[in-house]
Amino acid sequence: MAASDWKKKCETEWKLKESGIPTPDTVDWKSVYDKKPLGRNLLKNPAPQGVSHETPPPQHQGGGMFGAEPPRSEPEGDYTGWKKSIEVLPYDTSGIPEGVVICHLPQHSWLSLEQQVDLKEEGMWDELLDQYQPDITIQDWYEESQLHKFIYQLQVKLVGADGQTVIQEYSFNPEEDINSFSHTWKEVSHVFSGYGPGVRYVRFFHKVKNMQMIDFRSTLVTDSAVIVSTTRSTPK
């Protein structure tokens, strides 16, 4: 198939001309068509812990007496595609009167997961990103675990071609109401729009809090997404 035919195929299937998206002849349209960059989740392995927000979070199963199961510092899962790290937090002894003997204290830790999306590698082209600036939608779901008032953080950055310059970013660090508990999934979403030229990467970073005391308890996260659409909204 000729290059012009691949271009026409992309324009027709994704309604690029109707959306006002530039389609220069210099783009390798066969490669773009094969990669299908628009409207799909660009994150790899978006549910590494093997759960989905479409079903209720699993109920915690106690591990019995201390030592009944091997010590763990993270939920089980396949973290392929993610840069993973564990940060063990110091014990919180505030509020404990002097001289009181404590058998067990909860020890919290953060499980951090990071992934960077190379927009050009995924099939985007310069004119799409710089001139049209399509909406980039971020989505994530975390479990209402009630392990602490701070159990989840999200930070997403739009980064330039040098891999360092942050063009726009979004952060979310909610405080949970631990007096109200429904054990559901909580959705986090954000749309980047009107971010200006130069964006080439999306850096997606989130972390969830876990707790070790007698047994291990986790805060799960799932269905993370970075989606570039064919539409653009007016920036606020």
Side-chain angles (χ1 to χ4, degrees):
M1 189 182 294
S4 58
D5 294 327
W6 284 111
K7 175 181 174 179
K8 186 175 182 61
K9 195 173 181 66
C10 292
E11 289 175 337
T12 301
E13 291 198 15
W14 301 327
K15 297 180 171 58
L16 300 181
K17 285 189 173 181
E18 291 89 331
S19 300
I21 296 174
T23 55
D25 293 335
T26 52
V27 172
D28 181 353
W29 289 106
K30 182 184 184 304
S31 176
V32 171
Y33 186 81
D34 289 341
K35 293 180 178 180
K36 295 178 172 54
L38 300 169
R40 67 173 173 88
N41 188 359
L42 301 175
L43 289 179
K44 298 175 176 61
N45 191 18
Q49 296 166 345
V51 293
S52 169
H53 79 274
E54 295 181 350
T55 58
Q59 295 297 320
H60 173 70
Q61 301 294 327
M65 295 299 293
F66 184 75
E69 62 177 24
R72 288 197 292 148
S73 61
E74 65 187 53
E76 296 178 353
D78 174 10
Y79 296 97
T80 303
W82 294 93
K83 180 181 177 182
K84 180 187 67 175
S85 63
I86 301 290
E87 178 190 2
V88 178
L89 302 174
Y91 288 105
D92 182 6
T93 58
S94 62
I96 300 176
E98 186 178 350
V100 171
V101 176
I102 302 297
C103 294
H104 297 292
L105 278 176
Q107 185 166 45
H108 293 95
S109 61
W110 285 111
L111 167 65
S112 298
L113 300 172
E114 182 176 0
Q115 195 169 145
Q116 180 161 286
V117 176
D118 184 334
L119 297 174
K120 294 288 293 292
E121 183 65 27
E122 293 295 336
M124 313 291 167
W125 57 100
D126 292 346
E127 293 80 4
L128 169 72
L129 296 170
D130 295 339
Q131 298 176 27
Y132 186 75
Q133 298 170 31
D135 288 350
I136 301 176
T137 300
I138 308 302
Q139 192 173 39
D140 209 15
W141 299 79
Y142 70 96
E143 175 192 11
E144 182 188 23
S145 65
Q146 214 175 27
L147 296 183
H148 191 263
K149 63 181 180 179
F150 297 108
I151 57 173
Y152 173 88
Q153 292 182 19
L154 173 69
Q155 185 180 67
V156 185
K157 297 179 180 180
L158 304 185
V159 181
D162 61 359
Q164 301 295 324
T165 303
V166 177
I167 295 174
Q168 201 172 109
E169 66 180 290
Y170 171 75
S171 297
F172 184 63
N173 182 20
E175 181 174 349
E176 306 297 318
D177 180 4
I178 59 176
N179 296 314
S180 176
F181 183 57
S182 58
H183 196 217
T184 60
W185 293 107
K186 293 192 169 184
E187 181 183 9
V188 183
S189 63
H190 177 74
V191 178
F192 289 103
S193 62
Y195 37 80
V199 172
R200 294 296 180 268
Y201 301 95
V202 179
R203 190 170 297 151
F204 187 101
F205 172 88
H206 62 188
K207 62 183 184 178
V208 285
K209 188 166 287 182
N210 303 314
M211 183 182 75
Q212 177 75 46
M213 189 180 74
I214 307 298
D215 61 358
F216 177 80
R217 297 189 62 183
S218 62
T219 301
L220 300 175
V221 67
T222 189
D223 295 334
S224 310
V226 172
I227 300 172
V228 178
S229 65
T230 58
T231 60
R232 59 179 176 180
S233 53
T234 304
K236 296 180 179 180

